[in-house]
Amino acid sequence: MYNKTIVCVYAQDLLCSLHSAYLATPTNLKIHHYLIFLRSFYFLEHVSYMALVGSFSFNSFLFGVLSCTGTAFLAICLWIQVNKENKKFKDLAPKRAFADFVLSNLVFHLVIMNFFDRCPSPILNVVFMSCKNVV
Amino acid sequence: MAANGSPKPEPMAAKKASPDLLNSSFSFKSLKLKTKQQELLLRVSILGLVYVLAFIARLFSVLRYESMIHEFDPYFNYRTTLFLTEKGFYEFWNWFDSESWYPLGRIIGGTLYPGLMVTAALIYWTLRFLRFFVHIREVCVLTAPFFASNTTLVAYFFGKEIWDTGAGLVAAALIAICPGYISRSVAGSYDNEAVAIFALLLTFYLFVKAVKTGSLSWALGSAFGYFYMVSAWGGYVFIINLVPLYVLVLLITGRYSMRLYVAYNCMYILGMLLAMQIRFVGFQHVQSGEHMAAMGVFLLMQVFYFLDWVKHQLNDTKLFQTFLRITVTSAILVGGIALGVGTASGYISPWTGRFYSLLDPTYAKDHIPIIASVSEHQPTAWSSFMFDYHILLFLFPAGLYFCFKRLSDATIFIVMYGLTSLYFAGVMVRLILVATPAVCLISAIAVSATVKNLTSLLRTKQKVPQTGSAKGVGSSKSSSKVTLDQSQPFHKNGAIALLVGVFYLLSRYAIHCTWVTSEAYSSPSIVLAARGAHGNRIIFDDYREAYYWLRQNTPTDAKVMSWWDYGYQITAMGNRTVIVDNNTWNNTHIATVGRAMSSYEDEAYDIMRSLDVNYVLVVFGGVTGYSSDDINKFLWMVRIGGGVYPVIKEPDYLVNGEFRVDKGASPKMLNCLMYKLCYYRFGELVTEYGKPTGYDRARGVEIGNKDIKLEHLEEAYTTSNWIVRIYRVKPPTNRL
């Protein structure tokens, strides 16, 4: 009983301070946070789907998982490098950070298209397959 | 001023005297560069010379023999490169080869590392585009020296990152001629390591640069470097384990930073994605136990990042401490459980034998005789270390000392690389190659720092008398300066002596390296050379003679059975189907061949009929004294065959635990197929003056069974020095 109350109080404290600190971040960075949260959610969804149904098409499982991870990570990188509070990255121009982000995303998507197996809609399937063969 | 003034009128007079001197004096003045430009010129010229040196030091065998491919494995690489240039990339990537491992065939497209072949093909196509119509064999032969030169450039940049430009230059010079690297990158050694060491050093350099700058583009570069390494060599497992280990060490020593986060994560994700494009590697990055360390560290980095972010948001340290403890324990628990579940359920495959034998060197000898039989997989002797490294052996600890004096992210990396690679070099001779760049870099730090200290000692000493004479203030100061002056000559002499010593050592190193390259590492292995009685050189070209006989005198669908060492050469040069070759992917098939070689002729004939064998090829060194022949390899055939077929027992072939071929040999040995094929008609031959007939020069004994009759095989061809012997398998006799 005693431990339970301490844990509750502690958790409440933590969440409160986190919440108040979080409210202080500027809006443009909040977009980053939202996107990252979205991707983590999809990642978990994909993994649980695989755990339930079995990894029939390992290619498509990898595609889903790794695309979530990769894009989330690249967004985090951009966020780190653009955030004015990070002293280490002061001399890195935001344009350079964004250019790196774009280039990495390009490479990342070119590579991950190789794992793309199937698409629900047959029309989209044809489109994606032709793109893949071109690449 | 008078002393300064006297030379002045002369050039003026000279100027007025003749216009040619005017021009020359002007050009002289324009040549007088600033110090920075002088330094740049010096650096560029040194690097240029080192680049050329690295290339030409590896050309001994091309000059002595001819431009040909050496050894065994390079022949397979040559054959696949030929296929790639003739048929194109799509055919190459999807190639199924029915000419080896008869009747199984081999999926070449999915079981090789394409980096080397694609690189050579690209160079070939570039040269053709520039209208240099070279043969692909020339490109293959010279790929290794070309990439060795490129490695010296990368070593220079890496040294610059870790220490300074001086260390970079010394590193480039050391690695250009280091025998540990030359052994696998001479001209003609067209093997994966030729390109892999370049890719290894490039990946490490780009990664260290990414950690230093925290820029995403450098990390992207290192991911591409890693991709090149994965495409080139199976040793990429070293990178995918060393980099996470390095990151772990940085995390433990409290050097976590955003730069590290960006660099490692980008390299891991993109590198892993790119690496999974190689069919041979496949999904190993997410399924194999050898790659799990990287994933574990990746997850740990996310935890660290999350903790860092929370710490940044909260300003209350007490709250954060508890949170930290909870998170870390739960993360480790979850990770441990996941790893345990994965390994227990078999989803994460355990370490393969090849890499497990690096951690436990005794494993291969007991369980996997094929890995234990390769001579390059034996533990390294001290003499090999001295032979391959020379002075770098004691410069390495000196360099470690300097690295520890100036610890930074980059020096921690090179220390870890050096220590881990040296451990593995001690386990397996072949891995001296992987340790060479680290040893060269660390030794370069030692040399560069020492020489810098010594020369600065010399230079400051020269300044002291000038200041002493110019100032001359206060008796106490002058007296102290006097004592300083008295000890200075000692310091100066000591510094000069030490500098002379350093230069002497480096010159001995260069002499040793050139000697080693010339004597030990430049033999093509397919062409043997020896000194005749009068000192003239005799060349034994028997291997190629035999393979070309096969190519020209046997039907095109003939199948050749030989021990697996010669498989690649037979398919590449003889252009015939073989039963087993150097890929050694199917142990049972090799054991079947081993069983055939070690059985009596009748049983062996049944096995050969079941495999559709038409020709049998054996290598015999009794006439020339060549010691790497099949009789010396015979016990390995017995062991490998006996590992799968218990009917073959090794003690049957030994007498009191000793392997003999003379009269005292065991009867099974005297009548097995290998013995008969090697010594057929040998009993009539006089090999050495004063010795009886049938004297085996490689074993130094007279053979036991001189009267050999073959029932199911007949001799097809024996080369001029009896090194390669080919036999035809007779079809079964007609039933009467």
Side-chain angles (χ1 to χ4, degrees):
Chain A
M1 197 60 192
Y2 176 62
N3 287 339
K4 215 166 146 190
T5 43
I6 290 212
V7 166
C8 284
V9 164
Y10 167 73
Q12 254 183 345
D13 264 340
L14 188 68
L15 288 171
C16 275
S17 29
L18 272 177
H19 189 69
S20 53
Y22 185 68
L23 283 172
T25 56
T27 334
N28 56 351
L29 293 179
K30 279 208 188 133
I31 300 176
H32 281 288
H33 296 171
Y34 172 66
L35 289 172
I36 292 165
F37 165 71
L38 208 67
R39 290 199 193 92
S40 335
F41 174 70
Y42 276 125
F43 175 84
L44 287 170
E45 187 200 351
H46 215 103
V47 171
S48 50
Y49 177 81
M50 184 214 95
L52 287 173
V53 181
S55 63
F56 156 57
S57 174
F58 199 64
N59 266 355
S60 61
F61 165 67
L62 271 184
F63 172 73
V65 163
L66 287 173
S67 63
C68 290
T69 323
T71 41
F73 160 69
L74 286 173
I76 293 179
C77 272
L78 184 62
W79 168 29
I80 292 174
Q81 289 178 339
V82 161
N83 198 359
K84 289 185 196 56
E85 292 175 0
N86 283 332
K87 297 171 212 67
K88 294 262 175 66
F89 284 107
K90 231 183 345 187
D91 42 354
L92 195 72
K95 282 196 180 152
R96 161 86 193 269
F98 188 66
D100 280 347
F101 173 72
V102 166
L103 178 68
S104 317
N105 259 324
L106 198 68
V107 170
F108 175 75
H109 283 104
L110 272 177
V111 175
I112 204 148
M113 280 307 282
N114 268 330
F115 286 118
F116 187 68
D117 244 10
R118 60 211 61 230
C119 194
S121 149
I123 304 170
L124 273 177
N125 208 0
V126 165
V127 168
F128 274 117
M129 286 308 168
S130 50
C131 286
K132 208 172 107 168
N133 280 333
V134 163
V135 162
Chain B
M1 282 310 285
N4 285 338
S6 44
K8 254 194 183 168
E10 290 178 6
M12 304 280 276
K15 257 193 203 171
K16 289 197 179 101
S18 52
D20 325 347
L21 268 176
L22 172 86
N23 293 333
S24 64
S25 64
F26 258 129
S27 58
F28 224 57
K29 277 191 191 154
S30 61
L31 270 180
K32 197 173 167 66
L33 306 162
K34 291 183 286 226
T35 326
K36 261 209 153 113
Q37 288 174 320
Q38 272 179 346
E39 201 212 336
L40 184 67
L41 180 66
L42 208 60
R43 260 193 285 148
V44 169
S45 50
I46 290 178
L47 270 181
L49 283 174
V50 164
Y51 192 91
V52 172
L53 173 69
F55 192 85
I56 60 179
R58 289 159 164 82
L59 293 181
F60 274 104
S61 67
V62 172
L63 295 169
R64 280 184 192 157
Y65 304 99
E66 60 179 271
S67 156
M68 68 177 140
I69 314 267
H70 298 352
E71 304 259 325
F72 302 112
D73 278 358
Y75 273 100
F76 171 71
N77 298 331
Y78 173 61
R79 182 167 159 246
T80 46
T81 318
L82 202 58
F83 189 86
L84 172 61
T85 51
E86 282 170 2
K87 301 267 172 52
F89 187 71
Y90 188 75
E91 289 292 321
F92 168 76
W93 199 240
N94 293 304
W95 186 15
F96 180 84
D97 182 31
S98 30
E99 269 195 38
S100 52
W101 294 90
Y102 185 85
L104 307 164
R106 179 185 168 187
I107 309 171
I108 291 195
T111 56
L112 60 51
Y113 287 106
L116 175 71
M117 297 90 187
V118 171
T119 312
L122 279 175
I123 297 177
Y124 172 73
W125 284 324
T126 318
L127 287 174
R128 291 209 88 129
F129 177 74
L130 296 171
R131 301 291 180 257
F132 286 114
F133 289 108
V134 292
H135 192 269
I136 183 70
R137 196 192 64 238
E138 314 296 339
V139 175
C140 291
V141 164
L142 294 175
T143 299
F146 174 60
F147 274 93
S149 305
N150 296 340
T151 309
T152 59
L153 282 184
V154 179
Y156 163 69
F157 285 112
F158 203 3
K160 206 162 85 142
E161 269 314 301
I162 299 175
W163 201 255
D164 61 11
T165 51
L169 286 173
V170 179
L174 287 179
I175 207 173
I177 49 176
C178 187
Y181 185 27
I182 286 193
S183 61
R184 307 289 298 201
S185 66
V186 277
S189 173
Y190 183 56
D191 209 352
N192 294 9
E193 289 94 343
V195 183
I197 297 296
F198 168 72
L200 182 91
L201 211 55
L202 188 69
T203 312
F204 285 152
Y205 163 62
L206 290 172
F207 183 66
V208 168
K209 189 94 190 181
V211 170
K212 252 192 167 180
T213 57
S215 139
L216 202 59
S217 39
W218 282 110
L220 195 66
S222 79
F224 272 108
Y226 177 63
F227 170 57
Y228 191 33
M229 179 71 189
V230 171
S231 72
W233 196 33
Y236 73 89
V237 176
F238 181 64
I239 299 188
I240 201 67
N241 281 311
L242 178 64
V243 168
L245 197 64
Y246 164 65
V247 170
L248 198 64
V249 164
L250 282 186
L251 291 179
I252 292 176
T253 53
R255 282 172 179 266
Y256 168 78
S257 62
M258 298 291 201
R259 301 172 282 119
L260 184 66
Y261 179 82
V262 171
Y264 178 67
N265 280 331
C266 179
M267 186 190 155
Y268 178 65
I269 294 179
L270 279 166
M272 176 171 77
L273 268 179
L274 287 167
M276 291 204 272
Q277 307 307 314
I278 309 286
R279 281 170 68 190
F280 195 25
V281 172
F283 296 134
Q284 275 182 14
H285 275 75
V286 287
Q287 282 180 336
S288 156
E290 297 145 10
H291 303 80
M292 284 300 120
M295 190 181 280
V297 172
F298 171 68
L299 294 170
L300 194 66
M301 284 288 275
Q302 309 306 319
V303 170
F304 258 82
Y305 175 73
F306 176 61
L307 286 173
D308 203 45
W309 180 67
V310 167
K311 184 167 161 188
H312 187 68
Q313 301 282 49
L314 294 176
N315 290 323
D316 187 358
T317 40
K318 233 182 82 173
L319 211 58
F320 176 67
Q321 289 295 345
T322 345
F323 181 69
L324 172 74
R325 247 178 275 138
I326 297 173
T327 323
V328 168
T329 28
S330 57
I332 293 179
L333 253 159
V334 166
I337 290 175
L339 189 69
V341 164
T343 323
S345 67
Y347 184 73
I348 298 180
S349 58
W351 284 58
T352 54
R354 262 180 79 196
F355 297 111
Y356 190 71
S357 60
L358 288 178
L359 296 177
D360 178 14
T362 58
Y363 178 76
K365 199 147 179 120
D366 299 329
H367 296 106
I368 318 175
I370 278 198
I371 296 182
S373 72
V374 182
S375 65
E376 343 173 88
H377 291 178
Q378 304 309 316
T380 326
W382 264 114
S383 52
S384 297
F385 272 116
M386 192 61 195
F387 199 62
D388 280 341
Y389 288 142
H390 204 237
I391 60 167
L392 302 184
L393 264 188
F394 59 81
L395 285 178
F396 181 75
L400 279 183
Y401 162 73
F402 280 109
C403 283
F404 275 108
K405 254 178 76 170
R406 203 209 282 184
L407 269 185
S408 70
D409 290 347
T411 43
I412 292 183
F413 180 80
I414 197 67
V415 163
M416 289 200 59
Y417 176 27
L419 292 175
T420 47
S421 58
L422 262 194
Y423 167 72
F424 289 122
V427 172
M428 210 187 252
V429 172
R430 191 178 176 184
L431 296 179
I432 283 191
L433 174 71
V434 176
T436 303
V439 170
C440 285
L441 277 163
I442 297 185
S443 315
I445 292 178
V447 169
S448 170
T450 314
V451 169
K452 232 183 184 160
N453 289 340
L454 289 175
T455 47
S456 66
L457 205 66
L458 276 180
R459 246 184 269 139
T460 51
K461 193 246 42 130
Q462 283 170 7
K463 274 197 203 146
V464 168
Q466 286 181 8
T467 51
S469 58
K471 286 191 180 162
V473 280
S475 52
S476 54
K477 268 197 182 171
S478 59
S479 64
S480 64
K481 281 223 165 39
V482 162
T483 50
L484 214 66
D485 277 338
Q486 278 177 351
S487 58
Q488 281 315 315
F490 174 71
H491 277 176
K492 176 188 175 184
N493 289 338
I496 290 187
L498 282 175
L499 270 179
V500 167
V502 167
F503 291 140
Y504 172 72
L505 274 180
L506 289 175
S507 62
R508 291 304 307 180
Y509 171 73
I511 295 175
H512 169 86
C513 292
T514 321
W515 175 82
V516 163
T517 312
S518 161
E519 291 301 316
Y521 290 139
S522 296
S523 80
S525 299
I526 193 166
V527 170
L528 311 161
R531 294 262 163 221
H534 304 285
N536 57 327
R537 214 162 58 131
I538 311 180
I539 305 258
F540 299 119
D541 208 0
D542 287 43
Y543 281 102
R544 295 197 293 175
E545 187 187 337
Y547 300 139
Y548 274 90
W549 183 89
L550 267 182
R551 192 191 190 105
Q552 291 163 348
N553 293 294
T554 57
T556 38
D557 60 350
K559 287 127 195 109
V560 181
M561 181 173 94
S562 71
W563 191 233
W564 59 262
D565 289 2
Y566 316 108
Y568 280 155
Q569 287 180 340
I570 296 177
T571 29
M573 277 189 276
N575 204 23
R576 293 287 174 268
T577 311
V578 287
I579 307 291
V580 288
D581 68 13
N582 306 56
N583 191 30
T584 65
W585 67 271
N586 191 333
N587 194 33
T588 313
H589 218 52
I590 296 182
T592 314
V593 171
R595 180 183 172 187
M597 294 296 195
S598 32
S599 316
Y600 293 123
E601 197 184 341
D602 299 321
E603 301 159 12
Y605 184 64
D606 289 332
I607 299 177
M608 289 194 285
R609 290 289 304 157
S610 75
L611 289 172
D612 289 346
V613 175
N614 303 115
Y615 288 88
V616 181
L617 187 146
V618 292
V619 169
F620 171 59
V623 174
T624 48
Y626 177 53
S627 55
S628 315
D629 64 349
D630 280 357
I631 294 283
N632 279 344
K633 292 180 193 166
F634 183 64
L635 274 184
W636 283 110
M637 299 187 199
V638 170
R639 282 178 198 137
I640 295 175
V644 178
Y645 299 103
V647 69
I648 307 283
K649 298 186 213 26
E650 192 181 339
D652 288 346
Y653 300 87
L654 304 171
V655 174
N656 293 332
E658 204 186 312
F659 179 65
R660 295 169 68 168
V661 294
D662 54 358
K663 278 209 166 29
S666 64
K668 183 116 198 219
M669 179 71 210
L670 290 176
N671 288 303
C672 69
L673 185 71
M674 178 56 74
Y675 191 94
K676 282 183 155 182
L677 293 182
C678 282
Y679 291 121
Y680 182 65
R681 289 194 306 115
F682 185 64
E684 308 147 14
L685 198 67
V686 175
T687 51
E688 216 169 287
Y689 182 71
K691 292 279 194 309
T693 57
Y695 181 75
D696 184 346
R697 288 177 73 190
R699 261 67 52 183
V701 293
E702 185 187 342
I703 61 168
N705 188 358
K706 289 192 194 174
D707 188 23
I708 298 177
K709 298 260 183 300
L710 288 174
E711 194 189 328
H712 300 288
L713 296 114
E714 58 180 3
E715 187 179 359
Y717 188 69
T718 300
T719 54
S720 45
N721 294 302
W722 287 56
I723 291 186
V724 184
R725 311 194 67 182
I726 305 178
Y727 293 85
R728 189 179 300 115
V729 176
K730 291 198 279 200
T733 52
N734 290 330
R735 271 179 287 206
L736 296 167

